[in-house]
Amino acid sequence: MSASMRLLVRRAIRLSDTNIQISAAARAAARAAARSSSCRCFSDAAEDRSTHFGFETVPETEKAKRVYKVFENVAQRYDIMNDAMSLGIHRVWKDMLLHAMHPQPGVRLLDVAGGTGDISFRFLEYVRSQQERQKRRAARSMQTPSWQDISNNYSTEDEDGPLESRAVVCDINKEMLKVGKQKADSMGISTGLSWVVGDAEELPFDDDQFDIYTIAFGIRNVTHIDQALQEALRVLKPGGRFMCLEFSKVTNPVLARLYDAYSFQMIPVLGEVIAGDWKSYQYLVESIRKFPDQEEFTGMIEDAGFYCVQYRNLTGGVVALHSGFKL
Amino acid sequence: MAALLRGVRAGRALRGLSSVVAAPTATTPQCSSLSRGFHRAAPRLQDDFKSDKPPPSSSSTTFHEHYQAHSAEQDNTATASHEGAAAEQASRPNTSYQDQSGEQGEEYETEEQLQARILTAALEFVPLHGWSMEAIASGAETLGLSSASTGMFNNGAGDLVLHFITQCNSQLTEILAEQHKQVQLGQAESKATADFLRDAVETRLRMYIPYIESWPQAMSILLLPHNIPDSLKHLSTLVDDIWYYAGDRSTDMNWYTKRAALTGIYNTTELVMLQDSSPDFEDTWNFLDNRIQDVVNMASTAKQVQSTGEAVVQGLMGAAFTLKNLTGLNQRR
């Protein structure tokens, strides 16, 4: 870990000659963070509590603003960057999230930090294809319908209304939501989808509203993770499910070394080349390292009040899928 | 992955248990869910130590020892199948804990008990949806939970079928124990072994009658490779129970042969029942009768064959000796 830190600082100093601006204060803070152990530190003064922003230490009030700016900058190229950085594997991760979710028809989904809407689109498609399969199965079992069945069918065609699944995409960042809305329009998805601006720590919804709450690759950007978890518990119906897809600790040491090298050396370069933004992707890989590991996060979810909390490692621990129930 | 999760849960269970044993009465407001489950177990543990019974574990186990079969049935609050009585018994010693920790809602039962309740509620939707996640979702909805809670059941329909089997097995054990008690009290006569087996298998198979339409689907689910260990375990427990209450205390090869025979009878009768269309499944019970008769006959036939074989061998040896005499090989010169 210290080797990559030194690499990071050396690169930072070298590239300060180019157009990339790294403020002296940030550099000093990075060096200071590199010297000390990389753990979250909260100062004792009540109003001056600080948290981590990547490997920097910033006041809590500032973190949200800086995260907002990061995602404002990357919003337009977000999807392309995702494909480039993960070599398209992020699609598999999101499909596995949907598969684990296995939503029944008629559920309401809240996709927090949903941004460009990947999860919500997959959710709607999954539910639609399931409903089609059910209809096909029902049709097959009634190959020669009697008059009674046909007349019943005419009256039950309206029943699709109550079984309609709905997805709500909530994000703190308007730019990300804008990109998502454009995507939805181009894909022609309009029914069953709504876009809401909201803070994960303070959701603009009533209690007991949603069946499933997902947060994919967003919870590490939240300043107070436990507040976000408590909000999740609040808006879920009894029996509702909390699902979180997030980068996590790689268990295999060989893979961990490769992953670290790839993260710190390739990803910011890709960020600069494709999106023209080195710092945001530097923040991304640093924030992954600061996020608690699988077991610790499971403990946090349980403390918030969820039951049957489990996690699954995807791609050897690069991504972990946590799931808990409000019972 | 499943092993990892089980290991994780076991580790957490150990931690929870140690924390509870250390401070059984003090509860902090932020106790984890598992230690909540163990707080329920704590008063039970204390009661059990007093009454000298085995302490129940919070993980649902279907294993039960025969020696404690009677007493355990009243006290066995940990098995999922007894969750009806368990919820009652668990809520009684727990009113004090509810006040202490100030929790509300589902906190007075463990996750396994809630899962058992959902599956029991799901059973009434099986004729409509078959043995599937939709049935479980409908069951959860009747309990007031969102259909997303079906995600708790990683094995999906397999969980539902196995739960039903466990329920049937424990019902049968209760009935057999009741009959045994009646015989011991002298209020009823003990039956012959063949009749006892016949009645036990018939009682057990009659529990399938409400679901007989979809039972082939359930059997195919039980035959899936990841369900086979569990279904075999349930089957062997069932057969073992029936033989125990039939009075079998053998300790030699007979133990295996008897159980193998009964397993064969049970499985074949179940298959016949699936295709039976006679009123009240008469054909099935006739088939069952014949199979049990076969086994009984087989036992006596085996003895006859053995003695006949011995006699034949002796006769052959005598014939060979006579031949040797006739040909002069037996002479000593």
Side-chain angles (χ1 to χ4, degrees), chain A residues 42-76:
Chain A
F42 293 99
S43 59
D44 280 82
E47 69 261 298
D48 204 27
R49 290 167 68 99
S50 57
T51 178
H52 54 85
F53 178 79
F55 290 146
E56 282 179 54
T57 310
V58 299
E60 279 186 355
T61 44
E62 227 195 271
K63 172 161 180 176
K65 273 186 262 167
R66 294 187 68 170
V67 170
Y68 192 95
K69 224 184 303 170
V70 163
F71 281 95
E72 207 178 22
N73 292 341
V74 307
Q76 291 297 325

Coordinates of all heavy atoms in Angstrom, one line a residue, chain A residues 42-76:
Chain A
F42 N -11.8 11.4 12.8 CA -12.8 12.4 13.2 C -12.2 13.3 14.3 O -11.8 12.8 15.4 CB -14.1 11.8 13.7 CG -14.8 11.0 12.7 CD1 -14.7 9.6 12.5 CD2 -15.6 11.7 11.8 CE1 -15.4 9.0 11.6 CE2 -16.3 11.0 10.8 CZ -16.2 9.7 10.7
S43 N -12.0 14.6 14.1 CA -11.5 15.4 15.1 C -12.5 15.6 16.2 O -13.7 15.4 16.0 CB -11.1 16.8 14.5 OG -12.2 17.4 13.9
D44 N -12.0 16.1 17.3 CA -12.9 16.1 18.5 C -13.8 17.3 18.5 O -14.9 17.3 19.0 CB -12.0 16.2 19.8 CG -11.5 14.8 20.2 OD1 -10.5 14.4 19.6 OD2 -12.2 14.1 21.0
A45 N -13.3 18.4 17.8 CA -14.2 19.6 17.8 C -15.5 19.4 17.1 O -15.5 18.7 16.1 CB -13.4 20.7 17.1
A46 N -16.6 19.8 17.8 CA -17.9 19.4 17.3 C -18.2 20.0 15.9 O -18.7 19.2 15.1 CB -18.9 20.0 18.3
E47 N -17.8 21.2 15.6 CA -18.2 21.7 14.3 C -17.2 21.4 13.3 O -17.4 21.7 12.1 CB -18.5 23.3 14.4 CG -17.2 24.1 14.6 CD -17.0 24.5 16.1 OE1 -17.9 25.2 16.6 OE2 -16.0 24.0 16.7
D48 N -16.0 20.9 13.7 CA -14.9 20.8 12.7 C -14.7 19.3 12.4 O -13.6 18.9 12.2 CB -13.6 21.4 13.3 CG -12.7 21.8 12.1 OD1 -13.3 22.0 11.0 OD2 -11.5 21.8 12.3
R49 N -15.8 18.5 12.4 CA -15.6 17.0 12.1 C -15.1 16.9 10.7 O -15.6 17.5 9.8 CB -16.9 16.3 12.3 CG -17.3 16.2 13.8 CD -18.7 15.8 13.9 NE -18.9 14.4 13.5 CZ -18.9 13.4 14.3 NH1 -18.9 13.6 15.6 NH2 -19.1 12.2 13.8
S50 N -14.2 16.0 10.5 CA -13.7 15.8 9.1 C -13.8 14.3 8.7 O -14.0 13.4 9.6 CB -12.2 16.1 9.1 OG -11.5 15.4 10.0
T51 N -13.9 14.1 7.5 CA -14.0 12.8 6.9 C -13.0 12.6 5.8 O -12.3 13.5 5.4 CB -15.4 12.5 6.5 OG1 -15.5 11.2 6.0 CG2 -15.9 13.5 5.5
H52 N -13.1 11.5 5.1 CA -12.2 11.2 4.0 C -12.8 11.6 2.7 O -14.0 11.4 2.5 CB -11.7 9.8 4.0 CG -12.9 8.8 4.0 ND1 -13.5 8.4 2.8 CD2 -13.5 8.2 4.9 CE1 -14.4 7.6 3.0 NE2 -14.5 7.4 4.4
F53 N -12.0 12.2 1.8 CA -12.5 12.4 0.4 C -11.3 11.7 -0.4 O -10.3 12.4 -0.7 CB -12.6 13.9 0.1 CG -13.0 14.2 -1.3 CD1 -14.3 14.0 -1.7 CD2 -12.0 14.6 -2.2 CE1 -14.6 14.3 -3.0 CE2 -12.3 14.9 -3.5 CZ -13.7 14.7 -3.9
G54 N -11.5 10.5 -0.7 CA -10.4 9.7 -1.3 C -9.3 9.6 -0.2 O -9.7 9.3 1.0
F55 N -8.1 9.9 -0.5 CA -7.1 9.8 0.6 C -6.9 11.2 1.3 O -6.1 11.3 2.2 CB -5.7 9.4 0.0 CG -5.8 7.9 -0.5 CD1 -5.0 7.5 -1.6 CD2 -6.5 7.0 0.2 CE1 -5.0 6.2 -2.0 CE2 -6.5 5.7 -0.2 CZ -5.8 5.3 -1.3
E56 N -7.7 12.2 0.9 CA -7.6 13.5 1.6 C -8.5 13.4 2.8 O -9.4 12.6 2.9 CB -8.1 14.6 0.7 CG -7.2 15.0 -0.4 CD -7.9 16.1 -1.2 OE1 -8.4 17.1 -0.6 OE2 -8.0 16.0 -2.4
T57 N -8.2 14.4 3.7 CA -9.1 14.6 4.8 C -9.8 15.9 4.6 O -9.1 16.9 4.5 CB -8.3 14.6 6.1 OG1 -7.5 13.4 6.1 CG2 -9.2 14.5 7.3
V58 N -11.1 15.9 4.6 CA -11.8 17.2 4.4 C -12.9 17.3 5.5 O -13.3 16.3 6.0 CB -12.4 17.2 3.0 CG1 -11.4 17.2 1.9 CG2 -13.5 16.1 2.9
P59 N -13.3 18.5 5.8 CA -14.5 18.7 6.7 C -15.7 18.0 6.1 O -15.9 18.0 4.9 CB -14.7 20.2 6.8 CG -13.5 20.8 6.2 CD -12.8 19.8 5.3
E60 N -16.5 17.5 7.0 CA -17.7 16.8 6.5 C -18.6 17.6 5.6 O -19.1 17.1 4.6 CB -18.5 16.2 7.7 CG -17.9 15.0 8.3 CD -18.8 14.4 9.3 OE1 -19.8 15.0 9.7 OE2 -18.5 13.3 9.8
T61 N -18.7 18.8 5.9 CA -19.6 19.7 5.1 C -19.1 19.8 3.7 O -19.9 20.0 2.8 CB -19.8 21.1 5.8 OG1 -18.4 21.5 6.2 CG2 -20.6 21.0 7.0
E62 N -17.8 19.7 3.6 CA -17.3 20.0 2.2 C -17.4 18.7 1.4 O -17.4 18.8 0.1 CB -15.8 20.4 2.4 CG -15.5 21.6 1.5 CD -14.0 21.7 1.4 OE1 -13.4 22.4 2.3 OE2 -13.4 21.1 0.5
K63 N -17.4 17.5 2.0 CA -17.3 16.3 1.2 C -18.4 16.2 0.2 O -18.3 15.9 -1.0 CB -17.3 15.1 2.1 CG -17.4 13.8 1.3 CD -17.0 12.6 2.0 CE -17.1 11.4 1.0 NZ -16.7 10.1 1.6
A64 N -19.7 16.5 0.7 CA -20.8 16.4 -0.2 C -20.7 17.3 -1.4 O -20.9 16.9 -2.6 CB -22.1 16.7 0.5
K65 N -20.2 18.5 -1.2 CA -20.0 19.5 -2.3 C -19.0 18.9 -3.3 O -19.2 19.0 -4.5 CB -19.5 20.8 -1.8 CG -20.7 21.7 -1.4 CD -20.2 23.1 -1.0 CE -20.1 23.2 0.6 NZ -19.4 24.3 1.1
R66 N -17.9 18.4 -2.8 CA -16.8 18.0 -3.7 C -17.3 16.8 -4.5 O -17.0 16.6 -5.7 CB -15.6 17.7 -2.9 CG -15.0 18.9 -2.3 CD -13.7 18.7 -1.6 NE -12.6 18.4 -2.6 CZ -11.3 18.3 -2.3 NH1 -11.0 18.6 -1.0 NH2 -10.4 18.1 -3.2
V67 N -18.0 15.9 -3.8 CA -18.6 14.7 -4.5 C -19.5 15.2 -5.6 O -19.5 14.6 -6.8 CB -19.3 13.7 -3.6 CG1 -20.0 12.7 -4.3 CG2 -18.3 13.1 -2.6
Y68 N -20.3 16.2 -5.3 CA -21.2 16.7 -6.3 C -20.5 17.2 -7.5 O -20.8 16.9 -8.7 CB -22.1 17.8 -5.7 CG -23.2 18.3 -6.5 CD1 -24.5 17.7 -6.3 CD2 -23.1 19.2 -7.6 CE1 -25.6 18.1 -7.1 CE2 -24.1 19.6 -8.3 CZ -25.4 19.0 -8.1 OH -26.5 19.4 -8.9
K69 N -19.4 17.9 -7.3 CA -18.6 18.5 -8.4 C -18.0 17.4 -9.2 O -17.9 17.4 -10.4 CB -17.5 19.4 -7.8 CG -17.5 20.7 -8.7 CD -16.4 21.7 -8.3 CE -16.5 22.1 -6.9 NZ -15.3 22.8 -6.4
V70 N -17.5 16.3 -8.5 CA -16.9 15.2 -9.2 C -17.9 14.6 -10.2 O -17.6 14.4 -11.4 CB -16.5 14.1 -8.2 CG1 -16.2 12.8 -9.0 CG2 -15.2 14.5 -7.5
F71 N -19.1 14.3 -9.8 CA -20.1 13.7 -10.6 C -20.7 14.6 -11.6 O -21.1 14.2 -12.7 CB -21.2 13.0 -9.8 CG -20.7 11.7 -9.2 CD1 -20.2 11.6 -8.0 CD2 -20.7 10.6 -10.0 CE1 -19.7 10.4 -7.5 CE2 -20.2 9.4 -9.5 CZ -19.7 9.3 -8.3
E72 N -20.7 15.9 -11.3 CA -21.1 16.9 -12.3 C -20.1 16.9 -13.5 O -20.6 16.9 -14.7 CB -21.1 18.3 -11.7 CG -22.1 19.2 -12.3 CD -22.0 20.6 -11.6 OE1 -21.0 20.8 -10.9 OE2 -23.0 21.3 -11.6
N73 N -18.9 16.7 -13.2 CA -17.9 16.7 -14.3 C -18.0 15.5 -15.1 O -17.8 15.5 -16.3 CB -16.5 16.9 -13.7 CG -16.2 18.2 -13.1 OD1 -17.0 19.2 -13.4 ND2 -15.2 18.3 -12.2
V74 N -18.2 14.4 -14.5 CA -18.1 13.1 -15.2 C -19.4 12.7 -15.8 O -19.4 11.7 -16.6 CB -17.5 12.0 -14.4 CG1 -16.2 12.4 -13.7 CG2 -18.5 11.5 -13.3
A75 N -20.5 13.4 -15.5 CA -21.8 12.9 -15.9 C -21.9 12.5 -17.4 O -22.4 11.4 -17.7 CB -22.9 13.9 -15.5
Q76 N -21.4 13.4 -18.3 CA -21.6 13.1 -19.7 C -20.9 11.8 -20.1 O -21.4 11.1 -21.0 CB -21.1 14.3 -20.5 CG -22.0 15.5 -20.3 CD -23.4 15.3 -20.9 OE1 -23.6 14.6 -21.8 NE2 -24.3 15.9 -20.2

